[in-house]
Amino acid sequence: MFNERKALQMTLQAMLEQRMALRRQYVDQDKQLGADIKQLLSRIRELDNEAGIGDDESSEDTAMPTEEFSDDLMKRMKVRKAHIRHDYLEVAKHIENLLQEAMSPMSLADLCSVLKARHQVEFASPYIGVQKSLKYLPQVKVEKDGRKLIFSL
């Protein structure tokens, strides 16, 4: 028995298959373009070496379009920060000292900016970094002010 549900399932299946085919096609074209670009760059380097053009001049010529592209692209993309291993016990001591000096509650953003400025401690994810440090500081109180986290002794 053929009904509307079965027809919709068949349509969905066809669309999913079409989507996978488009993805495969995109990946194949991207690989091909990458190989072509690599080949062109190596040929440009060969010609530069034959002509005796210095590396400084040739790198400036080829770097200009990629810098413009990367700046434009970087504005639209989120950049993931590199993973840095921290000594959370030491960071906890810094946090405790900062809260004692401030003598008033500090927000997460303020705390992280002062940590970065004074102690060169920067977290890829400030919330997670501070939470890992607070495991060593049971005396620190964490409160919420709307969407902000406020830390105090």
Side-chain angles (χ1 to χ4, degrees):
M1 184 166 135
F2 191 76
N3 58 18
E4 185 180 1
R5 186 178 192 288
K6 188 150 187 124
L8 290 174
Q9 281 182 327
M10 290 173 60
T11 305
L12 176 64
Q13 187 64 33
M15 286 181 169
L16 290 173
E17 289 171 4
Q18 185 179 11
R19 182 189 221 183
M20 288 303 297
L22 286 171
R23 284 186 179 169
R24 278 190 225 106
Q25 180 184 2
Y26 169 77
V27 169
D28 293 342
Q29 286 178 347
D30 188 49
K31 285 180 183 176
Q32 183 61 41
L33 279 174
D36 293 345
I37 290 169
K38 199 176 205 180
Q39 186 178 16
L40 287 172
L41 286 174
S42 66
R43 181 65 182 141
I44 288 171
R45 285 189 193 106
E46 287 176 15
L47 291 173
D48 287 348
N49 289 337
E50 289 174 6
I53 297 176
D55 288 337
D56 296 336
E57 294 174 15
S58 64
S59 65
E60 287 176 12
D61 293 341
T62 56
M64 284 302 289
T66 56
E67 285 175 6
E68 291 173 16
F69 175 73
S70 63
D71 288 343
D72 183 43
L73 185 63
M74 295 304 280
K75 288 177 186 174
R76 289 184 276 141
M77 285 179 41
K78 260 189 176 177
V79 178
R80 187 172 183 169
K81 294 181 183 175
H83 177 74
I84 300 171
R85 190 170 297 276
H86 295 286
D87 180 9
Y88 292 106
L89 185 59
E90 184 179 332
V91 175
K93 291 175 185 175
H94 293 317
I95 290 173
E96 186 175 23
N97 291 338
L98 292 174
L99 290 173
Q100 285 174 350
E101 287 175 19
M103 299 289 284
S104 64
M106 294 179 77
S107 69
L108 178 63
D110 294 338
L111 188 62
C112 288
S113 65
V114 174
L115 276 172
K116 183 179 178 184
R118 286 194 193 172
H119 305 288
Q120 290 74 41
V121 174
E122 187 174 8
F123 298 113
S125 172
Y127 175 78
I128 293 173
V130 170
Q131 289 299 326
K132 286 182 177 181
S133 300
L134 290 180
K135 288 180 184 177
Y136 300 104
L137 296 171
Q139 68 272 22
V140 173
K141 296 179 188 117
V142 182
E143 299 170 0
K144 283 191 174 184
D145 181 24
R147 299 179 93 187
K148 290 184 179 181
L149 287 177
I150 307 295
F151 302 94
S152 61
L153 284 176

